[in-house]
Amino acid sequence: MTTPTLDSSTVACDDSDVYRTLLESTRAIPWRIDWATMRFTYIGPQIEELLGWKQSSWLSVNDWAERILEEDRKKTVDFCVAQSQMGLDHEADYRALTADGEQLWIRDVVHVVRRQDGSVESLVGFMFDITERKQAEDKILQLQRELEVLTYRDSLTGVANRRMFDTLYAIEWAKARATGEPLSLIVIDIDYFKQYNDHYGHMQGDDCLRRVAQAMDEGASRSRDLCARLGGEEFVLLLPATDEGAARNVAERCRKLLARKEIEHARSGVGRLVTVSMGVGTILPSALVDPHVFLDRIDRRLYQAKSGGRDRICDVES
């Protein structure tokens, strides 16, 4: 009995058919581009199901480039061409346009085939649909940004918290040192707030804190101004590039804005409405002054305002 034999051409043909079957049964889309002509010599039929473009329409790299979202096109093409010219394998993520105008995230994994002399012969690779992965990553980034906002935001009043103030105070202090501009602080305390809480209850006390914070935040109206809650019933306004007169005006404006809210306070020692006491100060930051020392100085002015009768602004030290 003789054993049938296969010549090498039959084996090669069979191997080729097996490889193609394997490639075309995966979700990854195989492709090959001839470097000299910049034309596709092969692309998997899965491309039509994924992007909607017929397999026969992928003729040259221009077809590939034109089906990249314009916003991503130049950087993607420039990167892939540069890496290929250097003979370097690479990956590229970009948004591709489907035949019906939708967008999908694609990852191209590219292998550069070189001749013995090192010149580029062709590019072969796989396209992967990574849309779901990108959407998940975007969701994570969004959640991280929201968490960062919460990290620097007072959950009760909605203004910045002590952590945000400490961070921006250091930044604005350094900027003021570099530019020679004045920096002002206003430290604010709600008058007789314990009595307010005792009389109206903590829920209404929380609402009072929110309304006071809103008035203070409206008073510090420029984009770089910051209103932050230091804790309890104490707030601070950080006012970059603000001289003494302008800081005093901001403090007066905040008191007027609060007065317009007409928050009743039956147990106040200075009237029938909620009021605040304020310490105000301005400095030209330098290496000779510590920012914490300056903040303590303004805090002392606040307590001078409180000990002097409350519902007032103190901008000098006695």
Side-chain angles (χ1 to χ4, degrees):
M1 181 177 178
T2 59
T3 302
T5 60
L6 296 174
D7 60 35
S8 60
S9 63
T10 303
V11 173
C13 179
D14 288 348
D15 285 349
S16 177
D17 290 341
V18 170
Y19 295 150
R20 174 164 295 196
T21 299
L22 288 172
L23 288 174
E24 295 181 358
S25 65
T26 67
R27 294 183 64 83
I29 302 167
W31 54 266
R32 182 182 184 278
I33 291 174
D34 178 68
W35 183 254
T37 63
M38 289 293 169
R39 296 181 68 83
F40 281 94
T41 57
Y42 178 75
I43 190 165
Q46 307 100 308
I47 194 69
E48 188 169 342
E49 180 182 351
L50 179 62
L51 296 180
W53 304 101
K54 290 187 177 298
Q55 184 183 17
S56 59
S57 70
W58 295 80
L59 302 176
S60 72
V61 291
N62 289 332
D63 298 306
W64 166 71
E66 289 171 1
R67 292 163 184 173
I68 297 175
L69 186 70
E70 186 174 1
E71 187 178 333
D72 297 348
R73 186 176 301 153
K74 187 177 187 304
K75 65 181 181 182
T76 302
V77 173
D78 288 351
F79 171 75
C80 289
V81 169
Q83 296 295 104
S84 299
Q85 285 175 336
M86 291 187 291
L88 300 176
D89 295 345
H90 54 280
E91 297 181 3
D93 293 353
Y94 56 87
R95 286 166 290 181
L97 295 169
T98 66
D100 57 6
E102 299 295 323
Q103 299 174 19
L104 291 179
W105 273 100
I106 297 295
R107 172 165 294 167
D108 251 325
V109 179
V110 184
H111 172 64
V112 181
V113 179
R114 289 177 289 180
R115 302 182 182 89
Q116 287 187 345
D117 62 3
S119 61
V120 178
E121 178 182 304
S122 62
L123 307 177
V124 295
F126 287 92
M127 291 183 187
F128 297 89
D129 177 7
I130 60 169
T131 304
E132 290 186 6
R133 183 187 308 175
K134 280 290 186 179
Q135 289 172 342
E137 290 173 356
D138 289 344
K139 182 64 176 177
I140 290 171
L141 289 174
Q142 178 186 345
L143 291 173
Q144 286 176 338
R145 286 192 292 268
E146 291 174 358
L147 181 60
E148 287 173 2
V149 170
L150 292 173
T151 301
Y152 288 100
R153 188 70 53 188
D154 178 60
S155 60
L156 176 62
T157 63
V159 299
N161 61 16
R162 179 63 187 255
R163 183 178 181 184
M164 173 66 93
F165 169 72
D166 289 341
T167 300
L168 289 185
Y169 183 36
I171 292 172
E172 293 295 355
W173 185 277
K175 284 183 180 178
R177 277 189 60 184
T179 61
E181 293 178 325
L183 180 69
S184 294
L185 290 178
I186 303 175
V187 181
I188 304 150
D189 189 83
I190 302 175
D191 296 324
Y192 298 103
F193 187 69
K194 181 182 184 301
Q195 290 81 351
Y196 185 96
N197 256 342
D198 291 343
H199 182 68
Y200 294 101
H202 289 286
M203 287 188 65
Q204 198 159 333
D206 288 349
D207 185 61
C208 175
L209 284 168
R210 282 189 285 266
R211 295 174 72 184
V212 171
Q214 183 182 42
M216 301 303 105
D217 196 39
E218 289 173 4
S221 56
R222 299 175 309 168
S223 59
R224 282 177 62 190
D225 294 345
L226 178 77
C227 174
R229 183 183 179 198
L230 292 180
E233 65 271 25
E234 193 169 81
F235 298 86
V236 63
L237 302 184
L238 173 63
L239 307 173
T242 303
D243 61 21
E244 293 178 3
R248 176 82 188 202
N249 289 340
V250 170
E252 294 285 5
R253 183 165 66 247
C254 288
R255 291 180 71 216
K256 290 177 182 177
L257 288 167
L258 178 60
R260 289 176 193 165
K261 292 187 179 295
E262 297 185 338
I263 307 171
E264 291 188 6
H265 191 345
R267 297 298 176 88
S268 172
V270 290
R272 65 179 185 84
L273 301 177
V274 168
T275 59
V276 293
S277 299
M278 298 182 172
V280 182
T282 301
I283 193 172
L284 292 174
S286 71
L288 301 177
V289 183
D290 186 283
H292 296 98
V293 171
F294 177 61
L295 178 59
D296 287 342
R297 186 187 307 166
I298 309 309
D299 208 42
R300 288 197 299 273
R301 292 182 185 180
L302 165 65
Y303 283 96
Q304 283 180 223
K306 291 175 72 68
S307 61
R310 303 184 185 180
D311 187 22
R312 64 191 60 209
I313 298 168
C314 179
D315 52 9
V316 294
E317 293 180 55
S318 58

